[in-house]
Amino acid sequence: MPLKKNQRITARPSEFQFAIADRIEFLNAADWDSLTANASVLLSRRYLSALQFEATEQILRRFAIIYEFGRPVAAVATQTFEVSGDKLTSDSTDRKLKLPEGLRRKSLAMLKRRVMMCGNVHSWGPHGVAFAEGEDAARLWPGVADCLYRIRRADRLTGQTDYVIVKDLFEPDHQHAEALAPFRYRQLKTEPNMVLTIGDNWTTFDHYTASLTSRYRAAAKKVLKPFNTEEITVEVISDIETESARIHELYKAVSKRADVRMFALQESTLPRISTALADDFVTIGIRQNQTLIGFVTVIKDGKTAIGYYLGLDYKINETLPLYHRLLFAVIEQAIVWNCQRVSFGRTALDAKSRLGCRPEATYVWVRHRIPLLNFVVQQLLKTVTHAEPPDRSPFKEAEQSG
Protein backbone atom coordinates (compact mmCIF):
# COMPACT_ATOMS: atom_id res chain seq x y z
CA MET A 1 0.00 0.00 0.00
CA PRO A 2 1.53 3.39 -1.00
CA LEU A 3 2.35 5.85 1.77
CA LYS A 4 0.18 8.91 2.22
CA LYS A 5 1.75 12.33 1.57
CA ASN A 6 2.40 13.13 5.27
CA GLN A 7 3.74 9.63 5.83
CA ARG A 8 6.20 10.12 2.98
CA ILE A 9 7.37 13.40 4.53
CA THR A 10 7.88 12.03 8.04
CA ALA A 11 9.09 8.53 7.19
CA ARG A 12 12.43 9.71 5.85
CA PRO A 13 15.17 12.04 7.14
CA SER A 14 15.34 15.62 5.96
CA GLU A 15 18.20 16.91 3.84
CA PHE A 16 19.59 18.98 6.70
CA GLN A 17 22.66 18.18 8.81
CA PHE A 18 22.86 18.46 12.59
CA ALA A 19 25.35 19.18 15.36
CA ILE A 20 23.82 18.19 18.72
CA ALA A 21 25.54 18.77 22.07
CA ASP A 22 24.94 18.30 25.78
CA ARG A 23 26.37 21.74 26.57
CA ILE A 24 26.21 24.99 24.65
CA GLU A 25 30.01 25.44 24.65
CA PHE A 26 30.44 22.18 22.73
CA LEU A 27 28.91 23.77 19.63
CA ASN A 28 30.52 26.18 17.16
CA ALA A 29 30.28 29.51 19.00
CA ALA A 30 30.47 31.70 15.89
CA ASP A 31 27.68 29.75 14.19
CA TRP A 32 25.42 29.92 17.25
CA ASP A 33 26.07 33.63 17.70
CA SER A 34 25.31 34.40 14.05
CA LEU A 35 22.02 32.50 14.23
CA THR A 36 20.86 34.10 17.48
CA ALA A 37 22.15 37.63 16.89
CA ASN A 38 18.64 38.93 16.13
CA ALA A 39 16.80 36.49 18.39
CA SER A 40 15.94 36.81 22.06
CA VAL A 41 18.81 37.34 24.50
CA LEU A 42 17.40 34.25 26.24
CA LEU A 43 18.79 32.23 23.33
CA SER A 44 22.23 33.80 23.63
CA ARG A 45 25.20 31.71 24.77
CA ARG A 46 25.77 33.97 27.78
CA TYR A 47 22.26 33.34 29.10
CA LEU A 48 22.18 29.62 28.26
CA SER A 49 25.61 29.12 29.82
CA ALA A 50 24.40 30.68 33.06
CA LEU A 51 21.24 28.56 33.13
CA GLN A 52 22.40 25.20 31.80
CA PHE A 53 23.44 23.89 35.21
CA GLU A 54 20.08 24.76 36.77
CA ALA A 55 18.17 21.73 38.11
CA THR A 56 20.54 19.36 36.29
CA GLU A 57 19.13 16.32 38.11
CA GLN A 58 15.67 17.14 36.80
CA ILE A 59 16.23 18.80 33.43
CA LEU A 60 18.15 17.28 30.52
CA ARG A 61 19.33 20.03 28.19
CA ARG A 62 20.34 19.66 24.57
CA PHE A 63 21.56 22.25 22.08
CA ALA A 64 21.76 21.88 18.32
CA ILE A 65 22.73 23.72 15.16
CA ILE A 66 20.99 22.79 11.93
CA TYR A 67 23.07 23.05 8.76
CA GLU A 68 22.13 23.06 5.10
CA PHE A 69 24.98 22.16 2.78
CA GLY A 70 27.40 23.13 5.56
CA ARG A 71 25.76 26.51 6.20
CA PRO A 72 24.17 27.16 9.64
CA VAL A 73 20.45 27.89 9.22
CA ALA A 74 18.89 27.31 12.66
CA ALA A 75 19.74 27.02 16.36
CA VAL A 76 17.68 24.80 18.67
CA ALA A 77 17.57 24.58 22.49
CA THR A 78 15.60 21.86 24.29
CA GLN A 79 14.84 20.79 27.84
CA THR A 80 13.57 17.31 28.75
CA PHE A 81 11.98 16.56 32.12
CA GLU A 82 9.26 14.64 33.88
CA VAL A 83 6.01 16.38 34.72
CA SER A 84 4.07 15.11 37.71
CA GLY A 85 0.60 16.19 38.72
CA ASP A 86 1.69 17.91 41.93
CA LYS A 87 3.52 20.50 39.83
CA LEU A 88 0.41 21.44 37.89
CA THR A 89 -1.89 22.58 40.67
CA SER A 90 -1.64 24.71 43.78
CA ASP A 91 -3.66 24.58 46.97
CA SER A 92 -5.69 27.56 45.74
CA THR A 93 -6.51 25.73 42.52
CA ASP A 94 -7.70 22.70 44.46
CA ARG A 95 -9.95 24.88 46.58
CA LYS A 96 -11.46 26.48 43.48
CA LEU A 97 -12.12 23.07 41.96
CA LYS A 98 -13.30 21.70 45.32
CA LEU A 99 -11.31 18.50 44.87
CA PRO A 100 -11.60 15.94 47.69
CA GLU A 101 -8.18 15.19 49.17
CA GLY A 102 -8.38 11.46 48.40
CA LEU A 103 -9.36 12.05 44.77
CA ARG A 104 -6.66 14.69 44.40
CA ARG A 105 -3.88 12.36 45.59
CA LYS A 106 -5.10 9.49 43.43
CA SER A 107 -5.50 11.66 40.32
CA LEU A 108 -2.13 13.35 40.66
CA ALA A 109 -0.38 10.02 41.26
CA MET A 110 -1.63 8.84 37.86
CA LEU A 111 -0.34 11.93 36.06
CA LYS A 112 3.35 11.60 35.25
CA ARG A 113 4.73 12.19 31.78
CA ARG A 114 8.14 12.86 30.23
CA VAL A 115 8.25 16.00 28.12
CA MET A 116 10.82 17.37 25.72
CA MET A 117 10.36 21.11 25.36
CA CYS A 118 11.78 23.12 22.52
CA GLY A 119 12.01 26.30 24.53
CA ASN A 120 12.61 27.31 28.12
CA VAL A 121 10.58 26.22 31.13
CA HIS A 122 11.97 29.19 33.08
CA SER A 123 10.62 31.82 30.69
CA TRP A 124 7.92 32.57 28.15
CA GLY A 125 8.42 33.47 24.52
CA PRO A 126 10.15 32.02 21.42
CA HIS A 127 13.26 30.76 23.20
CA GLY A 128 13.62 27.37 21.52
CA VAL A 129 14.48 28.12 17.89
CA ALA A 130 16.31 30.86 16.00
CA PHE A 131 16.59 30.95 12.22
CA ALA A 132 19.32 32.52 10.11
CA GLU A 133 18.45 36.03 8.99
CA GLY A 134 16.72 36.12 5.62
CA GLU A 135 15.74 32.44 5.65
CA ASP A 136 12.20 31.20 5.05
CA ALA A 137 11.17 29.86 8.46
CA ALA A 138 8.39 27.71 7.01
CA ARG A 139 10.99 25.91 4.89
CA LEU A 140 13.22 25.26 7.90
CA TRP A 141 10.61 24.02 10.41
CA PRO A 142 10.74 20.48 8.92
CA GLY A 143 14.46 20.53 9.74
CA VAL A 144 13.57 21.48 13.33
CA ALA A 145 11.10 18.58 13.48
CA ASP A 146 13.86 16.23 12.26
CA CYS A 147 16.28 17.66 14.84
CA LEU A 148 13.80 17.18 17.69
CA TYR A 149 13.17 13.60 16.59
CA ARG A 150 16.91 12.85 16.59
CA ILE A 151 17.37 14.36 20.06
CA ARG A 152 14.43 12.41 21.43
CA ARG A 153 15.66 9.13 19.97
CA ALA A 154 19.23 9.72 21.15
CA ASP A 155 18.01 10.33 24.72
CA ARG A 156 15.98 7.13 25.06
CA LEU A 157 18.46 5.76 27.59
CA THR A 158 17.33 8.48 30.00
CA GLY A 159 13.65 7.68 29.51
CA GLN A 160 10.89 7.41 26.93
CA THR A 161 9.65 10.86 25.92
CA ASP A 162 5.86 11.09 25.81
CA TYR A 163 5.38 14.61 24.49
CA VAL A 164 7.36 17.09 22.43
CA ILE A 165 6.30 20.71 22.91
CA VAL A 166 7.44 23.69 20.86
CA LYS A 167 6.81 26.90 22.85
CA ASP A 168 5.99 29.83 22.84
CA LEU A 169 5.26 31.20 19.40
CA PHE A 170 3.85 34.64 18.62
CA GLU A 171 2.76 35.97 15.24
CA PRO A 172 4.07 35.63 12.56
CA ASP A 173 6.26 32.77 13.85
CA HIS A 174 3.13 30.81 14.69
CA GLN A 175 1.99 30.90 11.06
CA HIS A 176 5.37 29.67 9.81
CA ALA A 177 5.17 26.76 12.27
CA GLU A 178 2.19 25.37 10.35
CA ALA A 179 4.91 23.38 8.61
CA LEU A 180 4.99 21.19 11.74
CA ALA A 181 1.48 19.87 11.10
CA PRO A 182 2.57 17.09 8.69
CA PHE A 183 4.84 15.81 11.48
CA ARG A 184 1.76 15.26 13.67
CA TYR A 185 2.23 18.33 15.82
CA ARG A 186 -0.99 19.89 17.04
CA GLN A 187 -1.59 23.55 17.81
CA LEU A 188 -2.67 24.85 21.21
CA LYS A 189 -3.47 28.47 22.00
CA THR A 190 -2.42 29.30 25.56
CA GLU A 191 -2.86 32.25 27.88
CA PRO A 192 -1.69 35.42 26.13
CA ASN A 193 1.48 37.31 26.83
CA MET A 194 0.57 40.66 28.36
CA VAL A 195 2.40 43.44 26.53
CA LEU A 196 2.61 47.15 27.26
CA THR A 197 3.59 49.35 24.32
CA ILE A 198 5.77 52.26 25.41
CA GLY A 199 4.48 55.59 24.10
CA ASP A 200 6.76 57.51 21.74
CA ASN A 201 6.71 60.51 24.05
CA TRP A 202 7.40 58.65 27.29
CA THR A 203 10.87 59.67 28.44
CA THR A 204 10.03 59.47 32.14
CA PHE A 205 7.62 57.43 34.26
CA ASP A 206 5.57 60.61 34.82
CA HIS A 207 4.85 60.67 31.10
CA TYR A 208 3.36 57.19 31.44
CA THR A 209 1.07 58.14 34.32
CA ALA A 210 0.09 61.37 32.55
CA SER A 211 -1.09 59.33 29.55
CA LEU A 212 -3.63 57.45 31.72
CA THR A 213 -7.25 58.47 32.02
CA SER A 214 -8.20 60.18 35.28
CA ARG A 215 -9.60 56.94 36.74
CA TYR A 216 -6.47 54.88 36.11
CA ARG A 217 -4.12 57.75 36.93
CA ALA A 218 -5.81 58.07 40.33
CA ALA A 219 -5.41 54.32 40.86
CA ALA A 220 -1.71 54.58 39.98
CA LYS A 221 -1.19 57.45 42.40
CA LYS A 222 -2.90 55.41 45.11
CA VAL A 223 -0.36 52.63 44.55
CA LEU A 224 2.62 55.00 44.45
CA LYS A 225 1.73 57.22 47.41
CA PRO A 226 2.62 54.81 50.28
CA PHE A 227 6.14 54.47 48.86
CA ASN A 228 6.87 58.18 49.02
CA THR A 229 8.16 58.04 52.59
CA GLU A 230 11.59 58.12 54.17
CA GLU A 231 11.27 54.61 55.56
CA ILE A 232 10.57 53.02 52.17
CA THR A 233 12.91 53.05 49.16
CA VAL A 234 12.56 51.67 45.64
CA GLU A 235 15.93 51.36 43.92
CA VAL A 236 18.23 49.14 41.89
CA ILE A 237 20.11 46.48 43.89
CA SER A 238 23.70 46.86 42.72
CA ASP A 239 24.99 43.50 44.00
CA ILE A 240 22.29 40.83 44.28
CA GLU A 241 24.76 38.11 45.26
CA THR A 242 25.28 39.68 48.68
CA GLU A 243 21.52 39.61 49.26
CA SER A 244 20.83 36.34 47.44
CA ALA A 245 19.48 34.58 50.55
CA ARG A 246 16.79 37.21 51.19
CA ILE A 247 15.99 37.50 47.48
CA HIS A 248 15.52 33.74 47.27
CA GLU A 249 13.31 33.76 50.36
CA LEU A 250 11.02 36.35 48.79
CA TYR A 251 11.03 34.49 45.47
CA LYS A 252 9.95 31.25 47.17
CA ALA A 253 7.05 33.05 48.84
CA VAL A 254 5.68 33.81 45.36
CA SER A 255 6.61 30.58 43.59
CA LYS A 256 4.86 28.34 46.11
CA ARG A 257 1.58 30.13 45.31
CA ALA A 258 1.84 29.58 41.56
CA ASP A 259 -0.78 27.36 39.92
CA VAL A 260 1.95 25.65 37.90
CA ARG A 261 5.09 24.84 39.88
CA MET A 262 7.71 23.27 37.65
CA PHE A 263 11.29 23.83 38.83
CA ALA A 264 12.22 26.24 41.60
CA LEU A 265 15.23 28.47 41.08
CA GLN A 266 18.31 27.96 43.21
CA GLU A 267 19.65 30.72 45.40
CA SER A 268 22.54 31.17 42.95
CA THR A 269 20.40 31.35 39.80
CA LEU A 270 19.55 35.04 39.59
CA PRO A 271 23.08 36.16 40.58
CA ARG A 272 24.52 33.93 37.81
CA ILE A 273 22.11 35.35 35.23
CA SER A 274 22.85 38.86 36.44
CA THR A 275 26.59 38.31 35.93
CA ALA A 276 26.05 36.75 32.50
CA LEU A 277 23.72 39.45 31.16
CA ALA A 278 25.52 42.37 32.85
CA ASP A 279 23.86 45.66 31.83
CA ASP A 280 20.93 43.80 30.25
CA PHE A 281 19.75 42.59 33.67
CA VAL A 282 18.51 44.74 36.55
CA THR A 283 17.12 43.85 39.99
CA ILE A 284 14.92 46.49 41.62
CA GLY A 285 14.28 46.19 45.34
CA ILE A 286 11.78 47.69 47.76
CA ARG A 287 13.07 48.22 51.29
CA GLN A 288 11.25 49.16 54.45
CA ASN A 289 13.55 50.46 57.15
CA GLN A 290 16.49 48.95 55.21
CA THR A 291 14.85 45.48 55.08
CA LEU A 292 14.23 44.06 51.61
CA ILE A 293 10.49 43.33 51.33
CA GLY A 294 10.12 42.91 47.56
CA PHE A 295 12.10 42.70 44.34
CA VAL A 296 11.64 42.32 40.62
CA THR A 297 14.17 41.41 37.93
CA VAL A 298 14.05 42.94 34.46
CA ILE A 299 15.82 41.74 31.31
CA LYS A 300 16.59 43.97 28.33
CA ASP A 301 15.81 41.87 25.26
CA GLY A 302 16.54 44.17 22.36
CA LYS A 303 13.74 46.74 22.33
CA THR A 304 11.67 44.68 24.78
CA ALA A 305 11.91 44.80 28.58
CA ILE A 306 10.94 41.48 30.16
CA GLY A 307 9.48 41.49 33.65
CA TYR A 308 11.28 38.32 34.75
CA TYR A 309 11.14 36.90 38.31
CA LEU A 310 9.86 38.72 41.36
CA GLY A 311 9.39 38.09 45.07
CA LEU A 312 7.63 39.80 47.94
CA ASP A 313 6.55 39.57 51.54
CA TYR A 314 2.85 38.69 51.33
CA LYS A 315 2.09 39.75 54.87
CA ILE A 316 3.33 43.26 54.13
CA ASN A 317 1.59 43.14 50.74
CA GLU A 318 -1.75 42.98 52.60
CA THR A 319 -1.33 46.61 53.68
CA LEU A 320 1.26 47.89 51.20
CA PRO A 321 0.70 47.31 47.43
CA LEU A 322 4.10 45.74 46.82
CA TYR A 323 3.09 43.69 43.78
CA HIS A 324 1.63 46.59 41.84
CA ARG A 325 4.56 48.84 42.76
CA LEU A 326 6.94 46.22 41.38
CA LEU A 327 5.00 46.17 38.10
CA PHE A 328 5.40 49.95 37.89
CA ALA A 329 9.12 49.49 38.54
CA VAL A 330 9.36 47.31 35.43
CA ILE A 331 7.73 50.06 33.34
CA GLU A 332 10.11 52.63 34.80
CA GLN A 333 13.11 50.50 33.86
CA ALA A 334 11.78 49.94 30.34
CA ILE A 335 11.57 53.71 29.86
CA VAL A 336 15.11 54.16 31.22
CA TRP A 337 16.31 51.57 28.69
CA ASN A 338 14.40 53.32 25.90
CA CYS A 339 12.55 50.11 25.13
CA GLN A 340 9.53 50.03 22.86
CA ARG A 341 7.48 47.52 24.87
CA VAL A 342 7.27 45.53 28.08
CA SER A 343 6.57 41.79 28.14
CA PHE A 344 4.86 40.86 31.41
CA GLY A 345 4.04 37.21 30.66
CA ARG A 346 0.81 35.29 31.08
CA THR A 347 -0.03 35.65 34.78
CA ALA A 348 -2.16 38.19 36.67
CA LEU A 349 -3.99 39.17 33.50
CA ASP A 350 -6.42 41.50 35.26
CA ALA A 351 -3.75 43.49 37.12
CA LYS A 352 -1.66 43.88 33.98
CA SER A 353 -4.61 44.97 31.86
CA ARG A 354 -5.03 47.85 34.33
CA LEU A 355 -1.50 48.97 33.47
CA GLY A 356 -2.47 49.29 29.82
CA CYS A 357 -1.20 45.90 28.68
CA ARG A 358 -2.75 44.22 25.66
CA PRO A 359 -2.85 40.46 25.08
CA GLU A 360 -0.44 38.98 22.54
CA ALA A 361 -1.72 35.66 21.21
CA THR A 362 0.58 32.79 22.21
CA TYR A 363 0.72 29.27 20.77
CA VAL A 364 2.48 26.00 21.42
CA TRP A 365 2.74 22.94 19.19
CA VAL A 366 2.41 19.51 20.81
CA ARG A 367 3.27 16.03 19.56
CA HIS A 368 2.82 12.65 21.23
CA ARG A 369 5.18 9.84 20.28
CA ILE A 370 2.29 7.44 19.56
CA PRO A 371 0.47 8.51 16.37
CA LEU A 372 -2.93 7.32 17.61
CA LEU A 373 -2.59 9.46 20.72
CA ASN A 374 -1.80 12.47 18.53
CA PHE A 375 -5.39 12.20 17.32
CA VAL A 376 -6.53 12.13 20.96
CA VAL A 377 -4.38 15.19 21.70
CA GLN A 378 -5.90 16.98 18.72
CA GLN A 379 -9.40 16.34 20.03
CA LEU A 380 -8.47 17.37 23.56
CA LEU A 381 -6.98 20.65 22.36
CA LYS A 382 -10.34 21.55 20.86
CA THR A 383 -11.84 21.54 24.36
CA VAL A 384 -9.07 23.47 26.10
CA THR A 385 -10.03 26.89 27.41
CA HIS A 386 -7.79 29.52 28.93
CA ALA A 387 -8.16 32.79 30.76
CA GLU A 388 -8.70 35.97 28.78
CA PRO A 389 -7.79 39.39 30.15
CA PRO A 390 -10.48 42.03 30.63
CA ASP A 391 -10.84 44.50 27.77
CA ARG A 392 -9.75 47.80 29.30
CA SER A 393 -8.70 51.15 27.84
CA PRO A 394 -6.74 52.94 30.58
CA PHE A 395 -5.11 55.46 28.23
CA LYS A 396 -6.46 58.75 26.98
CA GLU A 397 -7.85 58.27 23.51
CA ALA A 398 -5.35 60.61 21.90
CA GLU A 399 -2.38 58.94 23.59
CA GLN A 400 -3.49 55.30 23.66
CA SER A 401 -0.65 52.80 23.48
CA GLY A 402 -0.91 49.39 21.81
Side-chain angles (χ1 to χ4, degrees):
M1 180 181 295
L3 294 176
K4 295 180 181 180
K5 181 180 179 181
N6 285 354
Q7 288 176 316
R8 291 197 300 269
I9 293 174
T10 60
R12 64 172 183 260
S14 65
E15 296 181 355
F16 297 96
Q17 303 88 46
F18 308 90
I20 299 173
D22 294 353
R23 288 166 56 171
I24 187 65
E25 60 264 34
F26 295 166
L27 293 173
N28 185 294
D31 288 349
W32 187 276
D33 290 347
S34 68
L35 291 167
T36 61
N38 297 314
S40 170
V41 70
L42 302 188
L43 262 174
S44 66
R45 283 188 302 118
R46 52 181 175 146
Y47 174 82
L48 293 174
S49 295
L51 198 66
Q52 69 181 345
F53 298 111
E54 186 74 15
T56 53
E57 295 182 357
Q58 301 166 290
I59 302 176
L60 185 69
R61 292 175 172 82
R62 296 290 182 261
F63 308 93
I65 297 178
I66 302 175
Y67 292 87
E68 186 177 37
F69 307 115
R71 181 173 57 90
V73 293
V76 175
T78 71
Q79 299 175 345
T80 300
F81 47 85
E82 287 190 346
V83 175
S84 55
D86 59 348
K87 293 179 180 178
L88 301 179
T89 65
S90 65
D91 293 339
S92 60
T93 302
D94 294 341
R95 287 193 296 270
K96 291 176 184 177
L97 297 177
K98 299 180 180 179
L99 293 177
E101 180 64 22
L103 177 60
R104 176 181 180 272
R105 286 198 303 268
K106 183 177 180 180
S107 300
L108 295 182
M110 295 173 60
L111 180 57
K112 191 169 186 179
R113 294 291 183 267
R114 190 168 178 81
V115 174
M116 184 174 82
M117 178 181 292
C118 180
N120 192 338
V121 74
H122 296 292
S123 65
W124 62 92
H127 305 148
V129 180
F131 298 112
E133 188 175 4
E135 293 289 339
D136 179 5
R139 188 181 68 82
L140 298 180
W141 273 111
V144 175
D146 189 352
C147 182
L148 296 178
Y149 173 81
R150 291 168 186 251
I151 295 173
R152 177 170 65 85
R153 296 291 292 181
D155 287 338
R156 288 188 68 182
L157 289 177
T158 63
Q160 184 76 273
T161 299
D162 298 299
Y163 292 96
V164 179
I165 301 177
V166 178
K167 70 174 283 280
D168 297 300
L169 300 183
F170 308 136
E171 301 291 0
D173 297 331
H174 159 64
Q175 297 177 8
H176 299 153
E178 292 281 353
L180 289 173
F183 297 87
R184 302 190 181 94
Y185 283 83
R186 301 293 178 255
Q187 169 192 294
L188 169 62
K189 188 176 183 180
T190 69
E191 281 81 2
N193 175 32
M194 297 301 286
V195 176
L196 174 69
T197 300
I198 303 296
D200 294 336
N201 61 338
W202 299 356
T203 58
T204 68
F205 183 73
D206 287 341
H207 291 151
Y208 161 71
T209 57
S211 70
L212 298 171
T213 63
S214 58
R215 174 189 172 188
Y216 288 95
R217 187 166 60 255
K221 289 181 178 179
K222 186 176 180 180
V223 170
L224 296 168
K225 185 177 179 179
F227 297 90
N228 295 327
T229 65
E230 292 185 359
E231 68 175 13
I232 299 177
T233 61
V234 182
E235 58 188 5
V236 171
I237 301 176
S238 58
D239 182 7
I240 69 172
E241 189 165 2
T242 60
E243 299 187 73
S244 60
R246 177 57 176 167
I247 288 173
H248 194 244
E249 180 184 3
L250 295 172
Y251 153 75
K252 288 192 296 182
V254 173
S255 66
K256 72 179 183 181
R257 293 191 175 205
D259 287 340
V260 177
R261 295 171 291 182
M262 294 300 292
F263 304 101
L265 300 183
Q266 301 172 16
E267 183 178 322
S268 61
T269 305
L270 293 177
R272 279 189 280 110
I273 295 176
S274 176
T275 299
L277 296 186
D279 293 339
D280 292 332
F281 186 95
V282 164
T283 304
I284 301 166
I286 299 178
R287 301 179 193 276
Q288 185 177 49
N289 295 321
Q290 304 302 316
T291 299
L292 188 66
I293 58 175
F295 80 91
V296 65
T297 54
V298 193
I299 291 177
K300 187 175 187 295
D301 192 12
K303 288 297 183 178
T304 298
I306 300 175
Y308 199 44
Y309 283 94
L310 61 76
L312 54 87
D313 184 320
Y314 274 100
K315 185 175 181 179
I316 296 177
N317 191 62
E318 292 176 0
T319 57
L320 193 65
L322 293 176
Y323 178 74
H324 292 87
R325 183 61 184 90
L326 291 171
L327 295 183
F328 281 143
V330 175
I331 299 174
E332 289 181 90
Q333 187 59 45
I335 295 173
V336 169
W337 275 336
N338 196 30
C339 289
Q340 296 176 352
R341 57 182 231 151
V342 181
S343 174
F344 276 108
R346 53 169 64 98
T347 60
L349 304 185
D350 180 74
K352 292 165 184 176
S353 69
R354 295 175 185 274
L355 301 177
C357 293
R358 296 291 188 181
E360 180 179 34
T362 306
Y363 303 84
V364 300
W365 288 81
V366 183
R367 186 187 192 280
H368 196 282
R369 62 183 173 83
I370 301 175
L372 177 61
L373 292 183
N374 275 304
F375 173 77
V376 176
V377 170
Q378 183 180 23
Q379 300 309 309
L380 287 174
L381 295 186
K382 293 179 180 178
T383 68
V384 172
T385 60
H386 58 82
E388 292 289 351
D391 185 12
R392 290 196 173 91
S393 299
F395 293 106
K396 299 174 184 176
E397 184 176 351
E399 301 181 53
Q400 184 148 359
S401 298

